[in-house]
Amino acid sequence: MAKKQYTDKELMQMAIDVMNKSINEPRPDGKVPPKVGAVLLFPDGRIETAFRGELREGDHAEFTLMERKLANENLEGCILFTTLEPCVERNPPKVPCCKRTTNARIKKVFVGIEDRDPTVDGKGIKHLEKHLVEVKMFDREFQRIIEQENKDFLKQALERKIEKEEEDLLSPIEIAIPNYDRSKLSDKALQKFIDEAKLDYKINDDHFLEYLSDFGAMEWDKDKKHFVPTGFGVLLFGNNPRAKFKNAVLKAHVTYGDEKIEPKDFDEALVLLPDQIEDWLKKVLPLAKDTSSFKRKDVPDFPTNVLREAIVNALVHRDYELAEAKCEIKIDTNKIIVTSPGKPLPAITLEELNSFEAPSLSRNPIITYVFSLMDYVEEKGFGMKTFKTLNKEYGLPIPKYTYKNPFLTLTFPRTTEAIKYVIDKGSINELNKDELKAFETFRSNKPVTKAEFVEYSDLATRTAERLIKKYVDLNLIKVQGSGKSTKYIINE
C-alpha cells in the first residue's frame, strides 16, 4: 500500500497540532517558554513528530525528535517542519537546534515564525542558509496561529536585553556607535514615538532609555556609565542619520511630461518620515474629484495610503548595509516606482510578494518593531493588504515586484494601459484596454479556473474562453493540470 502523500499545508497544520501539546516547564525566573512542535517527513513518506517537553521537562522539540527519538537513524533527505526558528545558543555540551539540524544533513526546513529573542532573532535561519539549507516560512495563516499561541513568550522575548550575539552574524547597525550619546537623538523623533506608541515615558527619563535598550536602539556603556545609541537607534531617532549612514535617505522624483517637480530628499529620523512623505504625496499627485458623498472634494488621483504603505515597507525592509544604495520613489504620468536596496530574504520569493501573501519575516526586526508600535506596519510582516484592494476599490491595476541587483522594485501602473509597463513580454502590446482589464485576474499569481475567470472578469463564458485562448497563444498565461482540474496562471 502506497504511503500517504502530504501537502506542505497539511504538514504545517500537523506541526501546529503537535505544538499545542507542549508541556512547558515551570520557571522560577518567570520566563515563559515557547510552545514548539516539530514534524519530520522522511523521503518514503513516513512522519515523526515531537513537541517541547514531550519526553523530558524543558527539552526542545527538535532535540526530542532528532536525538531522543531518532538518534540512530539517517535523516539525510528528510524535510523538517518546526513552528519556531531553531535556537542558536545552548550551554555546553548541549548543541543548538540549528546546528543539530545541519549536522543531520537535513537540506530543507520550513520555519513557522522567527524567534524574537535577541539571542536568536534570525540567526537560526541565517545559520541554516549559510550551510546551504533551503529555508521556507510557514504560510501567513499558520504564522498567525503560532503567534497567538505564543503571545506571552513573544512579548517577553522582545523585552529581553541582548546578552550575547554571534559576532559573525552581528550587523554593524546593531552595534553601539562609539563616541555617540543621547544628544545624537532627536527630541522630536523620540516624542513622536512615545505619542504614537502610547508609551508612559518622558524623553529624558532614564527608564525610557532603558526601554530603548531593551529592544536594541540603545546600549549601556559600562565604562562611560551612560546609554549609547546603536545604528538602529540613530536610524530610527537620530538628529542627522546621514551623518553616520550616508544611505539613510528616500530620494523622490516627479515628472509629468515636460514638467518636472523639484526633487526632494527625506533624510530625517525614520519615525518622522511616514507623515512627511504622505503630506508630500498629497501635494505632488494630481487631483481628482471625489464624488462618493454629497459634497465633492479634491483628492489625489492615486490613493496615498497605498503609496505610503509601499514606501514604509521599502524603508523598513531595506538592506542598510548596502552603503551606496538608497530608497527612491519615482512618479510619472504612467507609473509610480518604489525601489528598496536589498534582494528578498531567501525564505521569501518574488511569487509570494506578488501574491501579496508574503510570509512574516523581517530583515530589520528592531525597525519593524518600532514601526509596528506606531501602527505604521504589520509587525514582522510586509502588511500589503491595501495593494490587493487597488483593482476592486479604486479600479486601478495591481502593482508588481521585480528584482534587479541590488534593488527590489515595486511598480504601480496608474492606468489600465500602463499594465504594459510591468509585463516583460512584447506580446502584451497586442491587448486592447478591455483585454488588459480582464488580464488583471491572472496577475494575482494564483492559479485560476475558467469559471473563476468568468466570475472575476464578469464576462460571458464564450468571451472568457476566447480571451483565455488569446492569453495562452500570446504566452501571457500558461496551463496547469488538465480536464476538470485545468487552471491558468500568469507566465512570468
Side-chain angles (χ1 to χ4, degrees):
M1 184 176 177
K3 292 280 187 181
K4 175 178 171 58
Q5 298 295 312
Y6 296 92
T7 66
D8 292 343
K9 285 181 178 288
E10 287 175 328
L11 292 163
M12 291 175 193
Q13 183 60 59
M14 190 182 300
I16 289 175
D17 293 340
V18 173
M19 174 195 76
N20 286 326
K21 298 178 181 178
S22 293
I23 303 170
N24 286 338
E25 69 277 10
R27 295 287 298 259
D29 59 2
K31 188 175 181 180
V32 177
K35 296 180 182 179
V36 184
V39 172
L40 203 62
L41 173 66
F42 282 77
D44 64 0
R46 171 185 161 203
I47 294 290
E48 294 290 347
T49 69
F51 53 85
R52 183 183 175 96
E54 179 176 355
L55 300 181
R56 187 174 63 184
E57 187 178 87
D59 276 357
H60 292 197
E62 298 94 331
F63 168 79
T64 300
L65 183 60
M66 289 185 272
E67 294 297 326
R68 293 180 66 80
K69 289 188 173 184
L70 303 169
N72 298 318
E73 296 205 34
N74 179 10
L75 305 184
E76 189 171 359
C78 291
I79 300 175
L80 175 64
F81 288 75
T82 178
T83 58
L84 185 67
E85 177 182 5
C87 67
V88 175
E89 297 179 3
R90 299 301 307 274
N91 293 326
K94 293 180 180 179
V95 178
C97 291
C98 67
K99 294 182 180 178
R100 195 179 302 281
T101 302
T102 52
N103 289 346
R105 297 184 178 179
I106 292 171
K107 291 300 182 184
K108 188 170 185 177
V109 177
F110 284 80
V111 176
I113 61 173
E114 287 180 284
D115 186 341
R116 298 176 189 172
D117 190 294
T119 61
V120 185
D121 210 3
K123 298 178 181 68
I125 291 174
K126 286 183 180 180
H127 173 88
L128 296 176
E129 292 170 345
K130 184 178 179 181
H131 289 78
L132 305 181
V133 175
E134 180 184 356
V135 180
K136 302 283 287 182
M137 302 302 293
F138 279 31
D139 292 352
R140 190 68 189 114
E141 60 188 287
F142 298 111
Q143 290 184 322
R144 291 190 180 99
I145 296 171
I146 298 168
E147 290 167 349
Q148 179 60 32
E149 290 296 325
N150 282 285
K151 60 182 180 181
D152 292 335
F153 162 75
L154 294 173
K155 181 177 183 295
Q156 282 192 358
L158 281 174
E159 294 170 350
R160 284 195 285 271
K161 189 172 181 175
I162 295 175
E163 296 178 353
K164 186 180 178 183
E165 296 282 358
E166 287 193 340
E167 291 298 327
D168 60 329
L169 296 175
L170 191 63
S171 164
I173 58 176
E174 293 179 275
I175 300 171
I177 300 176
N179 302 320
Y180 270 45
D181 57 25
R182 161 67 179 82
S183 67
K184 295 291 186 179
L185 302 186
S186 160
D187 287 352
K188 179 181 177 182
L190 293 172
Q191 190 61 56
K192 183 172 181 59
F193 174 50
I194 290 173
D195 294 342
E196 297 289 332
K198 299 179 175 59
L199 301 175
D200 189 21
Y201 291 114
K202 304 292 184 183
I203 59 173
N204 292 315
D205 187 349
D206 285 342
H207 292 299
F208 179 49
L209 299 183
E210 290 176 9
Y211 173 75
L212 295 178
S213 73
D214 284 344
F215 62 78
M218 302 283 282
E219 191 173 294
W220 179 252
D221 188 316
K222 295 179 181 179
D223 296 328
K224 296 181 179 179
K225 305 298 182 184
H226 64 67
F227 285 101
V228 178
T230 64
F232 277 122
V234 170
L235 287 170
L236 285 162
F237 310 113
N239 267 317
N240 181 15
R242 293 192 75 184
K244 183 64 181 177
F245 302 101
K246 304 301 181 188
N247 58 358
V249 59
L250 172 76
K251 302 187 80 67
H253 313 269
V254 183
T255 304
Y256 294 123
D258 295 331
E259 178 188 1
K260 289 189 176 181
I261 297 176
E262 186 72 21
K264 182 171 179 61
D265 286 356
F266 295 93
D267 55 6
E268 294 188 56
L270 285 179
V271 298
L272 299 175
L273 297 192
D275 292 345
Q276 293 178 3
I277 291 167
E278 186 168 22
D279 289 343
W280 175 80
L281 287 170
K282 290 176 180 177
K283 293 176 183 177
V284 301
L285 289 172
L287 296 177
K289 291 292 183 183
D290 179 5
T291 58
S292 60
S293 62
F294 287 107
K295 187 175 182 180
R296 292 188 174 194
K297 58 182 178 180
D298 290 331
V299 295
D301 74 343
F302 198 97
T304 54
N305 63 310
V306 175
L307 292 181
R308 168 173 156 146
E309 189 166 333
I311 294 167
V312 167
N313 273 339
L315 295 170
V316 169
H317 297 294
R318 64 158 294 178
D319 187 345
Y320 283 93
E321 293 185 58
L322 295 174
E324 301 303 320
K326 303 173 179 65
C327 286
E328 286 190 290
I329 177 170
K330 298 178 181 179
I331 301 175
D332 65 29
T333 307
N334 297 305
K335 59 191 178 298
I336 299 172
I337 299 175
V338 180
T339 58
S340 178
K343 63 182 179 181
L345 294 170
I348 296 177
T349 65
L350 276 176
E351 289 75 19
E352 288 171 326
L353 288 173
N354 280 318
S355 69
F356 310 120
E357 293 288 349
S360 176
L361 189 63
S362 175
R363 178 180 276 115
N364 304 304
I366 293 174
I367 296 175
T368 308
Y369 175 60
V370 169
F371 271 51
S372 70
L373 289 178
M374 300 175 74
D375 288 330
Y376 288 154
V377 297
E378 177 184 335
E379 189 173 345
K380 301 293 262 183
F382 278 77
M384 300 178 289
K385 295 176 184 176
T386 59
F387 299 170
K388 292 182 179 180
T389 68
L390 274 172
N391 191 257
K392 184 177 180 181
E393 291 194 19
Y394 302 100
L396 293 168
I398 60 175
K400 181 181 179 181
Y401 279 99
T402 55
Y403 175 72
K404 185 176 181 180
N405 190 34
F407 293 106
L408 181 66
T409 299
L410 180 59
T411 302
F412 292 88
R414 300 186 66 181
T415 63
T416 300
E417 292 87 346
I419 293 173
K420 297 175 181 179
Y421 289 96
V422 298
I423 302 297
D424 190 22
K425 289 184 184 292
S427 57
I428 193 74
N429 293 308
E430 297 188 31
L431 302 184
N432 61 35
K433 183 176 180 180
D434 291 337
E435 291 168 337
L436 283 168
K437 185 175 181 181
F439 185 64
E440 277 293 279
T441 303
F442 300 100
R443 294 193 55 237
S444 65
N445 260 351
K446 293 183 178 180
V448 177
T449 65
K450 180 176 71 176
E452 288 171 334
F453 179 55
V454 170
E455 178 185 352
Y456 298 156
S457 63
D458 199 26
L459 293 172
T461 301
R462 287 190 177 182
T463 304
E465 290 173 344
R466 178 184 60 78
L467 271 185
I468 286 175
K469 183 179 185 305
K470 183 171 184 177
Y471 296 149
V472 172
D473 290 344
L474 291 174
N475 204 29
L476 295 172
I477 62 174
K478 57 187 177 181
V479 182
Q480 287 188 344
S482 60
K484 293 183 179 180
S485 61
T486 299
K487 292 186 177 183
Y488 303 90
I489 190 168
I490 193 166
N491 188 16
E492 297 285 8

